[in-house]
Amino acid sequence: MDTNNSIVMTRQQVRQFDAWAINKMGIPGCMLMENAGRNCAKLILKRLTDVNNANVIIFCGIGNNGGDGYVIARHLVNAQINVKIAICGDISKIKGDARLNLDIIKKMEIPVVVIDPLAEDITMRIADLTTGTHLLIDALFGTGLTGQMRNGYPDIVRSLNGCKKPIVAVDIPSGLDCDLGLPTDSNTAIIADATVTFVAMKKGFTNPATLKYTGDITIASIGIEPSAQWD
């Protein structure tokens, strides 16, 4: 994607824009998450147009990136896609807007499995889960990741890359630094075929080295755009 004519945001600017949308413009966080996930799902569906009886697994973290994943799951199911969700981490720590959307998909009876990132058989578990899957969706970490991934998450990322399945990253490939466009830890980051990022290009995406991880980049709306009034 040509990034020359796109707005570019740092990690801090992304946070500021979200805060502005919620606190100044009065858009609830759950609505921003809904818009982001719905528009991401639309773009994912385009990649599945030629796949019959598509099977998708969404790997979700325990923060808001995972919340985006739950919204995506709902809209894919509504479009008759077979979806399974793999929550990587302690499900009791999921709060706020992400928890609200997790509760909805539970009521929809979308299949959910919980993965302990520290499990010794993590690579085999992920390989088994992804057998017969046409597309993996990375909703583990968003733009807020700073420093190294810990507590088994690097093993999850390496295992997902090792599945040799197409991957779509939600907002930013997990493990990638938003501002630098490089992995935060030992070259460990999701290697995606495509990235659906929200609001604007991220500063790190201007680094040519980041294309190895992002693949094709598309910008999806969260329902409000940066404008002259955003401060």
Side-chain angles (χ1 to χ4, degrees):
M1 176 176 177
D2 182 5
T3 63
N4 292 333
N5 297 319
S6 302
I7 295 173
V8 176
M9 287 186 174
T10 64
R11 178 189 296 109
Q12 184 60 29
Q13 287 172 325
V14 169
R15 292 178 176 177
Q16 290 171 344
F17 181 76
D18 285 347
W20 170 82
I22 294 170
N23 299 322
K24 194 165 186 178
M25 303 308 291
I27 304 175
C30 61
M31 184 179 293
L32 297 177
M33 184 174 286
E34 174 68 21
N35 291 337
R38 182 183 64 248
N39 288 325
C40 189
K42 288 180 180 178
L43 294 165
I44 291 169
L45 285 170
K46 290 181 180 180
R47 301 185 69 87
L48 296 171
T49 300
D50 298 326
V51 180
N52 293 323
N53 197 30
N55 294 306
V56 174
I57 297 185
I58 306 176
F59 286 84
C60 297
I62 58 175
N64 281 343
N65 200 236
D68 296 331
Y70 308 140
V71 176
I72 292 166
R74 174 159 41 86
H75 287 284
L76 292 183
V77 167
N78 289 343
Q80 308 304 310
I81 302 296
N82 301 311
V83 176
K84 182 181 291 183
I85 293 171
I87 298 177
C88 302
D90 185 350
I91 197 169
S92 69
K93 294 183 178 179
I94 300 172
K95 308 294 182 185
D97 299 328
R99 185 76 209 194
L100 182 147
N101 281 291
L102 173 58
D103 290 343
I104 292 172
I105 64 165
K106 284 184 172 182
K107 292 175 182 177
M108 291 178 67
E109 298 184 349
I110 298 174
V112 175
V113 297
V114 179
I115 295 176
D116 178 1
L118 295 173
E120 293 183 0
D121 62 344
I122 192 70
T123 298
M124 184 178 299
R125 180 88 189 276
I126 288 176
D128 288 344
L129 273 174
T130 58
T131 299
T133 299
H134 297 97
L135 182 68
L136 310 182
I137 298 176
D138 162 33
L140 291 172
F141 294 103
T143 57
L145 178 66
T146 58
Q148 298 181 351
M149 294 184 291
R150 298 184 297 275
N151 300 327
Y153 285 99
D155 290 332
I156 290 177
V157 168
R158 285 189 285 266
S159 297
L160 292 177
N161 288 338
C163 290
K164 305 301 181 183
K165 304 279 187 178
I167 301 177
V168 173
V170 178
D171 205 14
I172 187 170
S174 292
L176 207 64
D177 185 277
C178 179
D179 292 344
L180 299 178
L182 297 172
T184 61
D185 176 27
S186 302
N187 296 319
T188 302
I190 288 291
I191 300 175
D193 294 82
T195 297
V196 182
T197 198
F198 301 131
V199 180
M201 296 297 293
K202 305 308 185 283
K203 182 181 177 182
F205 294 170
T206 63
N207 180 350
T210 200
L211 289 174
K212 170 184 175 182
Y213 301 97
T214 62
D216 296 331
I217 301 170
T218 307
I219 300 172
S221 175
I222 63 170
I224 190 166
E225 309 302 328
S227 66
Q229 61 181 319
W230 172 52
D231 183 10

